[in-house]
Amino acid sequence: QVQLVESGGGLVAPGGSLSLSCVASGGPTSRYIMAWFRQTPGMQREFVGASTRIGGNVYTTKYADSVKGRFTISRHNAKNTVYLEMNNLKLEDTAVYYCAGTTASNTPLSPEAYTLWGQGTQVTVSS
């Protein structure tokens, strides 16, 4: 059973940067679509971005419009780790960030399509 553990959350001022990590154990995730979601109290879990394998060791990424140009997803398969680099953070980026994985054939935006989930890490953007 693959398990995911996120780390790297914290408190940052607006305009600052944070880097989140998601380490997988129990099996390789190189063939999984690996995504990041975020959630604020009372709201549905929101798609942030995903990394999808398109062949060999080549991956493509997809991002929500709200983070495009500011957030970057990368993965290091040898370390079984996915990263979320967040720059120019805004107050509205405050949320619990979750790492997720799926073997679906396309890059789903809905959290229901993902079978692997981490426990989440809090990101707070505040002055």
Side-chain angles (χ1 to χ4, degrees):
Q1 178 74 13
V2 177
Q3 294 185 321
L4 305 177
V5 177
E6 304 97 332
S7 63
L11 174 65
V12 63
S17 299
L18 271 180
S19 182
L20 306 183
S21 299
C22 171
V23 179
S25 61
T29 55
S30 58
R31 297 190 178 200
Y32 280 77
I33 295 171
M34 297 301 295
W36 289 92
F37 286 79
R38 65 187 182 186
Q39 190 171 25
T40 54
M43 301 296 288
Q44 299 228 353
R45 205 162 285 191
E46 174 192 23
F47 176 82
V48 173
S51 169
T52 302
R53 184 183 183 208
I54 57 175
N57 202 33
V58 180
Y59 294 82
T60 187
T61 50
K62 178 186 290 188
Y63 299 96
D65 288 343
S66 59
V67 307
K68 203 172 292 184
R70 300 187 298 121
F71 290 13
T72 302
I73 294 174
S74 61
R75 55 199 301 169
H76 194 307
N77 288 334
K79 295 183 178 181
N80 225 13
T81 302
V82 179
Y83 304 95
L84 178 66
E85 181 73 27
M86 305 183 292
N87 297 310
N88 191 20
L89 282 160
K90 304 177 180 181
L91 296 175
E92 53 264 39
D93 293 319
T94 295
V96 177
Y97 282 71
Y98 297 90
C99 177
T102 182
T103 56
S105 56
N106 297 313
T107 305
L109 305 185
S110 170
E112 285 76 22
Y114 290 79
T115 56
L116 302 179
W117 287 95
Q119 82 290 349
T121 185
Q122 176 71 47
V123 171
T124 302
V125 184
S126 175
S127 55

